[in-house]
Amino acid sequence: MSLAQLTAWCDGRFGAHPVEADSRERAYDIPWVVMDNTRAERHFGWQPDTPLPTVLEEIAVHADNNPDWLERSGM
């Protein structure tokens, strides 16, 4: 899923919000993440058990149930 696709999903789930750059460092930032399991699948036969739409919905439900979670996590 690209960032554009994720933004579209979030807009559909939560309503449109402007995408803006934010150069502030936050406690849980990571410099780079690759979420492509192609090599793990090729070398070990591993595949994720939970489909991406399910993961996104679980995160969305958490956000709905914890409206202050971004502030509590330092965002």
Side-chain angles (χ1 to χ4, degrees):
M1 171 176 267
S2 71
L3 287 176
Q5 291 168 319
L6 180 57
T7 298
W9 185 91
C10 289
D11 287 350
R13 180 62 169 74
F14 298 107
H17 293 85
V19 176
E20 300 172 358
D22 184 347
S23 61
R24 295 177 294 161
E25 268 194 46
R26 294 170 298 252
Y28 303 107
D29 281 353
I30 57 174
W32 184 263
V33 64
V34 175
M35 299 175 66
D36 179 351
N37 65 292
T38 303
R39 288 184 179 177
E41 184 176 352
R42 185 177 333 123
H43 292 288
F44 307 111
W46 181 86
Q47 292 183 341
D49 289 333
T50 308
L52 182 58
T54 301
V55 172
L56 294 176
E57 188 57 30
E58 288 176 2
I59 294 168
V61 168
H62 175 79
D64 288 339
N65 292 334
N66 300 278
D68 63 337
W69 74 287
L70 286 177
E71 290 78 20
R72 287 192 295 157
S73 65
M75 299 304 242

